[in-house]
Amino acid sequence: MKRFAILIALIALLAVPAFAEGINLGDFPLGSWVDENYGAVWTFSSGNIQILAKDGTTIFDFDQAGVQDFKVGVGSDGPFVSFSCAAAGKSYKFSKPVLKSQMTLEIERAGQPSYRVEMAKK
């Protein structure tokens, strides 16, 4: 019985990294920015990141899909947030230079070219 309990505890510890992390943007700027290339609006709220169509309908909800490797920090030009999403099959990095109103979005996609765009504040 003791071995069984140890085995269950070990499996639980190994499974923890497989679960999605929560979204906590900390001091990262909240609000909405427009990706004109795709007609999409990226919305950052205190506990979620969403991609919306210009009419407001939800295209993708990262809180529901789950994120991994979530990081919030400050780089040489200002705050950034980066994460990956297994459901989307992509890695994302957003940087917001302190002296600019634009936000930079960078997307890495397996087997596809990298994507980079400057997004205007909505």
Side-chain angles (χ1 to χ4, degrees):
M1 183 66 158
K2 192 174 189 180
R3 287 185 197 179
F4 181 71
I6 292 171
L7 178 64
I8 294 299
L10 182 61
I11 290 171
L13 286 174
L14 293 174
V16 168
F19 292 112
E21 299 172 33
I23 296 173
N24 180 353
L25 291 170
D27 292 331
F28 190 77
L30 305 180
S32 299
W33 282 263
V34 180
D35 177 348
E36 291 293 342
N37 293 338
Y38 285 94
V41 178
W42 287 80
T43 302
F44 298 82
S45 61
S46 61
N48 198 5
I49 299 171
Q50 293 181 313
I51 306 171
L52 306 176
K54 286 191 175 180
D55 68 4
T57 58
T58 302
I59 296 172
F60 199 84
D61 187 317
F62 288 96
D63 186 48
Q64 290 181 2
V67 298
Q68 298 81 35
D69 308 317
F70 192 84
K71 294 179 188 128
V72 177
V74 178
S76 60
D77 61 345
F80 72 88
V81 62
S82 65
F83 61 91
S84 59
C85 178
K90 300 173 184 170
S91 295
Y92 302 86
K93 181 176 182 185
F94 300 88
S95 53
K96 174 66 181 76
V98 175
L99 300 176
K100 292 184 178 180
S101 61
Q102 294 88 0
M103 179 180 295
T104 302
L105 163 62
E106 299 173 73
I107 302 175
E108 296 296 325
R109 308 170 282 190
Q112 296 181 341
S114 298
Y115 177 75
R116 180 183 168 102
V117 66
E118 297 290 323
M119 299 189 297
K121 178 102 169 118
K122 181 175 179 188

